[in-house]
Amino acid sequence: MTDDDTHDETATASVETDGGTVTDAAQQHRNTDYLQQEVNLLSPSTAFMRDHLRVVWTGFIAWALIVFGPVTLTAIAPETMTSITVPPGFPLHYFSVAFAGPTGALVLAFWYARKRDALDEKYGIDPSSVETSSQGGSGDTDAGDAAATDGGVEQ
Amino acid sequence: MMASFLVIGYVFKVADTEGMWVAGRGIGNIENGMAIGANWMSAASYLGLAGLVALSGFYGLAFIVGWTTGYFVLLIFLAAQMRRFGKYTAPDFVADRFNSPTARALAAFTTLLIAYVYSVGQARGMGLVGQYVFGLDIVPMIVVMMTITVGYLALSGMLGATKNMAVQYVILIVAFLAGVYVVGFTQGYSTILPQIEYGALIDELSRQFSAPFENSSYYVWIATAFSLIFGTCGLPHVLVRFYTVENERTARWSTVWGLFFIMLLYWGAPAMAAFGVDLFAAVNNISPEAVYTGEQAMSGAEGDVIVVLAAQFANLPRWFVGLVAAGGMAAAIATTAGLFITASSAVAHDIYSELINPDATQRQQVLIGRATIVVVGALVTVTAFNPPALIGELVAYAFSLAGTVLFPMFFLGLWWENTNRQGALAGMSVGLLLWIGSIFNSVLPSYVGFLADVAGGPSQAIIPIYAQFVPPIGAALVGTPLVFLVTIAVSMATPEPPLETKQMVRQCHSPEPMGQQQTAEDIVADDGGSGGTPADD
């Protein structure tokens, strides 16, 4: 909940930061009313979104290379890609598409989730600060029997 | 095994809508990750994928890439924002984001189409397993399995389905990996890492198995992978998983876990395909090349159940083959369950109570939802008797539809606040027409007499050039950018959406934590000081 709305007159032109100290970023976050800031993928309007999008685009470009790179190389230079073998006997084109591509995406996903959590930290955000029925966070494996009422109306 | 599904479903029988559709929003990372995995791993992953890799060789890898790497795009662009938006279903999202009942109807219709096309592949998988493993005819097998699925669903709701899904995930991954490991070990292909060791086998197989672009052009390969990737991001029954978690951090991490759980199967699928192809040649005493051409070549049906056949060829005990087959069944049932839930909520919630009868009671909604499940189940069953393609390909049709119509709406809706009603309607209509046109063009001539006459043969396309660039399986490569362009152009040419709508989008990107039961709409309505009137539904 934004309970400390400081209505910045110049809300649209938010202050430029270069990722200062934690307190700076957190301070700035506190002074931003996110409901006043335009959302546009190509021109982020808040410091948080700028930081976030930097991570997003980095990941996206790496992902595109990992996913479409090997197959494109195979189309361009089939001889080279098929003649190189990777232990234990894969042709390189097969290995890079069947194994490296999907695995790369998994590693990237893990990297992104870590980065995004670090952003929360940088901006002094605590996801578990809102009342939820159970504490969020990794490793929460207990079956979520949240508000579902098992004894609903019998048909 | 079937009995255990029914029992769990009965225990979690729920009759209120909150429980029926989103399990009261409170399920943790790993469990939700497993549910994503189980929901995802349909017969197409369990059976169809190895079948495609076995039969189509390098082209089959487009399916492996497409059905895994899309999760990364989903994670960075949609998962957390969707969770913050906090709406039940894809049509709900589209309707509330674009303030339009018509958009809701279009999205609900798309959701229904997706569920239907997708389920046909599942039903075919069930039938084939029955045919090859239990020696039954394919038709009664499909009828029996679909009846069980529909009966189980009509009894319980999403909560039962979710509980079941973690269990089902475990059942099917154990069954699949046991198959890979045991076949690999007993036949001397592999020891501890069959996922890598099958590489040594590739040399001995026919060129067809690994040579690039033998069965398809580079364009079709890319189009297929592209459609599957962006279809993943537009699939309603995947997105609904984000509504069952407590906050967006859990939404993100459960996506990562989900991808890992999916990869456990996808690493093994090509290994199983390689073992299967090699065993097929050995058992039938044919050369590796003869697997693909000639009298004794592998048929589509055999390819589709190669996972089970490999276990059979390896002379493993009957109960073990049964276990592997049961995994395939579990996969098909779990996914069909998820799809039918989505379809039933599209009809009961989006079409019936939002458009036809606004005063519908919960009881009426649940009733309509159950009726939908039964009707869609019957339709799917009938279509599956004579399906037009391999399991994996059938499912891919649904993906190209999701990638073309729904993904641009989600993406633009969440990342560009000026996307408006007119843009969304124009975009969705264009996408639907493009996809339906592609199906009419390439698939229906096999079924409909006069279309075949027009096309000059049942397996011909009506307009060859359209079929070449917009194949049903890869329609999104052309469709998605086109829908993006149309949506953006129309949005720019028409007035901007109202402030409340924009604020909802802004709320989706605000890093402020939100409570578990809150939606972006609540926050915007509560935010008095911003000058906007509260959004009313």
Side-chain angles (χ1 to χ4, degrees), chain B residues 190-250:
Chain B
S190 64
T191 50
I192 50 168
L193 262 187
Q195 295 87 344
I196 296 289
E197 288 179 75
Y198 76 95
L201 192 64
I202 287 181
D203 250 359
E204 299 163 33
L205 301 174
S206 156
R207 268 192 74 254
Q208 291 265 14
F209 186 81
S210 65
F213 314 123
E214 285 278 306
N215 300 299
S216 72
S217 63
Y218 172 70
Y219 177 83
V220 172
W221 201 105
I222 294 285
T224 305
F226 185 95
S227 289
L228 300 182
I229 285 166
F230 293 102
T232 305
C233 305
L235 266 190
H237 72 279
V238 171
L239 286 168
V240 83
R241 286 272 143 242
F242 298 124
Y243 301 123
T244 59
V245 296
E246 60 254 310
N247 61 33
E248 61 259 43
R249 177 175 284 190
T250 315

Side-chain angles (χ1 to χ4, degrees), chain B residues 10-150:
Chain B
Y10 184 76
V11 168
F12 292 111
K13 183 171 185 293
V14 278
D16 65 302
T17 44
E18 181 82 8
M20 175 107 183
W21 287 317
V22 290
R25 290 208 198 133
I27 287 168
N29 271 341
I30 298 200
E31 192 188 4
N32 199 46
M34 283 190 176
I36 290 175
N39 218 339
W40 184 246
M41 287 204 215
S42 61
S45 297
Y46 195 100
L47 303 166
L49 192 69
L52 278 158
V53 174
L55 285 170
S56 315
F58 189 73
Y59 175 60
L61 298 184
F63 290 79
I64 290 196
V65 167
W67 277 331
T68 51
T69 56
Y71 271 89
F72 180 69
V73 178
L74 181 68
L75 170 68
I76 58 176
F77 286 122
L78 298 177
Q81 286 77 12
M82 271 285 172
R83 178 66 197 79
R84 288 182 75 84
F85 203 91
K87 286 297 173 184
Y88 278 3
T89 62
D92 251 345
F93 171 84
V94 172
D96 289 355
R97 170 62 183 82
F98 302 116
N99 310 305
S100 160
T102 321
R104 180 190 291 277
L106 276 177
F109 174 68
T110 309
T111 304
L112 261 178
L113 264 183
I114 289 171
Y116 166 67
V117 174
Y118 205 118
S119 304
V120 171
Q122 312 306 313
R124 171 179 155 100
M126 294 177 192
L128 284 171
V129 169
Q131 187 181 349
Y132 278 89
V133 179
F134 306 119
L136 294 168
D137 270 349
I138 188 162
V139 171
M141 189 70 200
I142 291 178
V143 174
V144 169
M145 294 310 299
M146 288 300 288
T147 310
I148 289 178
T149 309
V150 170

Side-chain angles (χ1 to χ4, degrees), chain B residues 261-287:
Chain B
F261 288 135
I262 289 162
M263 293 294 299
L264 283 180
L265 185 136
Y266 278 62
W267 280 316
M272 203 63 175
F275 300 159
V277 169
D278 198 52
L279 286 168
F280 186 87
V283 167
N284 295 324
N285 275 323
I286 50 177
S287 69

Side-chain angles (χ1 to χ4, degrees), chain A residues 35 41 72 93 117 133 138 144 153, chain B residues 15 26 29 210 218 253 506 516:
Chain A
L35 294 182
L41 179 67
T72 307
H93 74 284
D117 284 354
S133 53
S138 51
V153 192
Chain B
N29 271 341
S210 65
Y218 172 70
W253 280 104
R506 291 168 190 178
Q516 202 190 320

